Amino acid sequence: MAERPAGGHGDSLLWAAEPEFWREVFDHLGAGLAVVDSTGRIAAVNPAAEELLGRTAAAMLGRDFHDLLHQGADGATPHRAPCRLLTALTHGTAAHAETDSFTRGDGRPVRVTWSGTPVIKDGAVVGMTVLFADITATEAAHADRAAHMIALENRTGRLALVAEINAVLAQPLDTEVALSRLARLLVPRLADWAAVDLCVESGQVRRVTVTGPEGRNFAQEALRCPLPPLAAHSRSSLVRVLHGGEPAVLGPQEIAAPPDSSLAAVQAAFLQATGAVSAVVVPLGAARQITGALTLVRTDPSRPFDTAELALARDIGRQVGLAIDNARAFGRQREIAEAMQRNLLARLPQPGPLRLSARYQPAPAGSQVGGDWYDAFPLRDGATALVIGDVVGHDLNAAAGMAQLHGTLRSLAWDRTGPPSAIIDRLDEAIPRITDVSMATAILARVEGPEDGPWRLHWTNAGHPPPLLVTRDGRAEYLDRGRGLLLGTGLSSDARPDAATPLPPGSTLLLYTDGLIEVPGTDLDTGLEDLRRHAAAFARHPLEDFCDQILKRVPVSNTDDIALLALRIPRSAS
C-alpha cells in the first residue's frame, strides 16, 4: 500500500481515506445507490434506495437485481438478455438509461434514470455500482419550468404587442388608417380575424376595417360600410357592448345563436363566414364614452380565448377608444384652425398687367395645422405689397396668432410709406404688446413700376425661406439678400436690411412657406434645390398651372401645411 503523505497540504485530506467517511457518503447520498456482485446479486443498498424502492435492505440483499426490480405488473420477470445493466456487467463496461422502470415493494412501478459503473479489482470485474433517481419529480419540475417559460414568453409577447399598438396610436394618422394598422397587429398575433366598428352618429354604426389571415382574399375584408342601427334591446354581444355593456367571450353556442336584430344578423354572418369557434367583443373606450367595438375571432378549436386574453383585449379597446376620442377632438380643433386660415387668406388683387396666384394646402390629415399665411394688397403710393409668413407653432393658437399678425401688418403697411424693413421693424416691436405670438417669420415685399414696366422688387426677409425668381428662359435663383432675424426674438436693435432687384419681363416670383421645402428624411439644401429645379421646368406654364405643378411635386411624406404666393411679370411692355 502506498504511504500517505506526511505533513503539508496532504494532511487536510486524510479524512477522505477513512472508511467512516465513505460510510457517511453512502448513507447520506441523495440518490439511490446499489452495489451488485459479478453475478448481479445485490451486495449493498443505501437508505435512499430503500426509500425510493419501498423495500428494506434486508429484503434486497442477496437478491438478483434484475429479477427483483424488473418484475412486471403480473409478477413475471422480463427476459434477462435485453437488460442493459446485466449486459454492461457481463462486458465490464459502464451503462446508463435516461428512463427506466423499477418495481417497488408494493408492486407499483417507479420511473427512474440510472447509471452503472463496473467495480474492477486486479483487472477483473467484481461487481457494479448502480446510481438511480426518481425522474417523476424531475419531470414535474421541468414541466413547471416549461410552463413558467411559456407564461413569460406569452407575457413578453403581449407587452410587445401593447407597445406596438401604443406606437401606432401615437402616430399622427387618420383614425381609419390607424385602426387598419391596429387590426394588422392583432392578426395573427392575437386573433385570426379582427373587425372594428365605430359609432359615427346617434344610433349609427360603421364597420371601418376587417382584417383576416395573410394571403386570404376574403369577401368579408371588403365589408367596410355603414351597419344597421343599434337596436334598443338585443342579446347580441356586439349590440350590448355598443350600449356600454361588459366585454364578452363567445363560444360555439353563443356564436351559433340566432340573431334578434339587423345589426346582430350582420355580426352573426361575419362570425359564420370566418369560421369562428371562439370570439371576444370588447368596447372601444370606457363605459361612459363608448366610441365603438372590437371583435376578435379564432378559428382553431384548440385555442379558444381565455380570461387573460379577454382582459388584454379589453385593455387594448380602452386604449384605442381614448386615442379615437383624442383624434376626434384634435380633428375638430384642426377644422377650426383650417377654416380660420382659409377665411383670413385675402382675395388677391390683379394690379394692372401683373398677375397674382396663391395656394394654401393644409397639412395632411392627422397632422396639426400651422400658422402659414400669404397676403397681397395695394398700397397708398400705388405699389403692390406681397406678404408670406409663418407663425411658430402648429395648433389653434398658431392659427389665431397668424390672424393677429395678418391684420397688424396690413394696417402698418397701409399707414407707412417707408421701406419694407421699417414696417417689419414696427411689427416686431408690436408683437409682444398687441399679439399672443411668440415668434414668426415673414417676407414683406413691394412691387413697383409703371404699368408698362419696368418692374422692380424691394423686400426684407425676417428669417423666412428666400424668395425664388424664375426667368422665362428657365433660370432660377434664390434672392438671399435682405435677410434679418425672425420676428419676436428681441435680440437686435439694428435696422433690418432691405434689398432690391429688377423683375425681368415674363419672370415669375415665388414666395412660399417651409412646408414646400422641408421634407422629413432630407436636408434643407435638397428641398431648396428640388424647388428651384421644378420652378425652372415650369417657367413658361400659365401662372395657375405653374402653382399647381409646384404643389404636385410636394412629397407625400410632408407633414406641414404650405402657403405659396406667385407673381407673374408681363412678357413685354404694351
Side-chain angles (χ1 to χ4, degrees), residues 66-358:
H66 172 78
D67 292 348
L68 179 66
L69 300 181
H70 281 161
Q71 289 182 355
D74 57 358
T77 302
H79 197 274
R80 297 173 67 86
C83 180
R84 281 174 286 179
L85 188 144
L86 293 179
T87 301
L89 181 62
T90 301
H91 293 88
T93 58
H96 75 278
E98 292 293 334
T99 179
D100 200 349
S101 179
F102 288 172
T103 304
R104 287 172 48 86
D106 57 9
R108 292 187 296 109
V110 57
R111 297 181 66 228
V112 297
T113 180
W114 60 263
S115 62
T117 304
V119 179
I120 300 175
K121 183 177 182 181
D122 297 329
V125 176
V126 297
M128 178 172 282
T129 60
V130 184
L131 188 67
F132 52 94
D134 184 352
I135 63 174
T136 304
T138 304
E139 288 179 337
H142 281 309
D144 287 344
R145 284 196 294 271
H148 182 62
M149 288 301 297
I150 291 172
L152 285 177
E153 290 173 359
N154 288 340
R155 182 174 179 81
T156 301
R158 290 172 183 175
L159 289 173
L161 176 61
V162 170
E164 291 182 53
I165 289 171
N166 285 335
V168 168
L169 297 178
Q171 294 175 13
L173 299 172
D174 174 79
T175 298
E176 293 194 14
V177 172
L179 292 175
S180 178
R181 292 191 183 181
L182 166 70
R184 288 196 294 272
L185 285 176
L186 297 175
V187 175
R189 293 166 65 175
L190 189 59
D192 299 314
W193 287 87
V196 180
D197 303 316
L198 287 185
C199 301
V200 291
E201 295 176 6
S202 178
Q204 296 298 313
V205 181
R206 177 179 175 80
R207 180 150 288 181
V208 296
T209 185
V210 177
T211 302
E214 183 178 355
R216 284 193 62 179
N217 182 12
F218 198 81
Q220 288 294 324
E221 293 179 355
L223 186 59
R224 299 179 181 91
C225 60
L227 299 182
L230 278 172
H233 303 285
S234 173
R235 297 187 305 274
S236 166
S237 57
L238 176 60
V239 176
R240 294 202 309 270
V241 163
L242 290 173
H243 277 308
E246 290 295 314
V249 177
L250 310 182
Q253 184 175 352
E254 292 85 359
I255 291 172
D260 57 2
S261 69
S262 298
L263 181 55
V266 173
Q267 180 78 336
F270 166 69
L271 297 176
Q272 181 179 4
T274 57
V277 296
S278 179
V280 296
V281 183
V282 299
L284 303 181
R288 294 182 179 179
Q289 184 62 42
I290 302 300
T291 59
L294 169 66
T295 301
L296 301 177
V297 168
R298 284 185 179 169
T299 58
D300 184 354
S302 66
R303 294 180 60 244
F305 286 104
D306 57 27
T307 54
E309 289 164 329
L310 175 64
L312 174 62
R314 183 183 59 226
D315 290 342
I316 292 171
R318 187 179 296 115
Q319 289 176 270
V320 173
L322 179 61
I324 291 173
D325 286 343
N326 291 339
R328 286 176 171 174
F330 167 76
R332 289 189 290 269
Q333 185 187 71
R334 186 179 187 279
E335 289 172 1
I336 294 170
E338 185 178 333
M340 179 184 295
Q341 284 184 304
R342 289 194 181 279
N343 290 333
L344 289 171
L345 295 175
R347 180 174 298 178
L348 296 178
Q350 297 300 335
L354 300 177
R355 288 294 172 263
L356 287 166
S357 182

Side-chain angles (χ1 to χ4, degrees), residues 417-433:
T417 56
S421 61
I423 297 170
I424 290 295
D425 276 337
R426 291 289 290 165
L427 179 66
D428 201 7
E429 293 174 9
I431 280 179
R433 295 171 175 82

Side-chain angles (χ1 to χ4, degrees), residues 437-521:
V437 174
S438 58
M439 285 188 287
T441 67
I443 292 176
L444 173 61
R446 289 170 52 92
V447 181
E448 304 169 352
E451 280 208 14
D452 55 356
W455 302 91
R456 193 168 181 81
L457 181 74
H458 292 261
W459 79 95
T460 190
N461 185 338
H464 200 81
L468 179 61
L469 181 61
V470 188
T471 62
R472 182 170 172 76
D473 59 3
R475 288 182 293 111
E477 66 170 324
Y478 286 103
L479 306 180
D480 287 316
R481 293 175 295 134
R483 180 181 293 275
L485 291 174
L486 73 166
L487 303 170
T489 63
L491 296 178
S492 177
S493 59
D494 298 333
R496 291 181 179 275
D498 284 287
T501 189
L503 297 173
S507 64
T508 304
L509 176 71
L510 180 63
L511 307 179
Y512 53 91
T513 55
D514 57 9
L516 197 61
I517 55 172
E518 291 184 354
V519 180

Side-chain angles (χ1 to χ4, degrees), residues 349-435:
Q350 297 300 335
L354 300 177
R355 288 294 172 263
L356 287 166
S357 182
R359 298 288 185 275
Y360 171 70
Q361 178 174 289
S367 300
Q368 291 185 314
V369 175
D372 295 21
W373 96 97
Y374 63 82
D375 198 3
F377 49 92
L379 297 172
R380 286 193 299 176
D381 59 3
T384 299
L386 305 179
V387 181
I388 195 81
D390 187 0
V391 173
V392 173
H394 291 85
D395 52 21
L396 189 56
N397 290 332
M402 176 273 290
Q404 292 174 323
L405 286 192
H406 177 271
T408 303
L409 182 55
R410 267 202 166 209
S411 298
L412 290 172
W414 177 259
D415 183 61
R416 300 177 66 91
T417 56
S421 61
I423 297 170
I424 290 295
D425 276 337
R426 291 289 290 165
L427 179 66
D428 201 7
E429 293 174 9
I431 280 179
R433 295 171 175 82
I434 63 174
T435 76

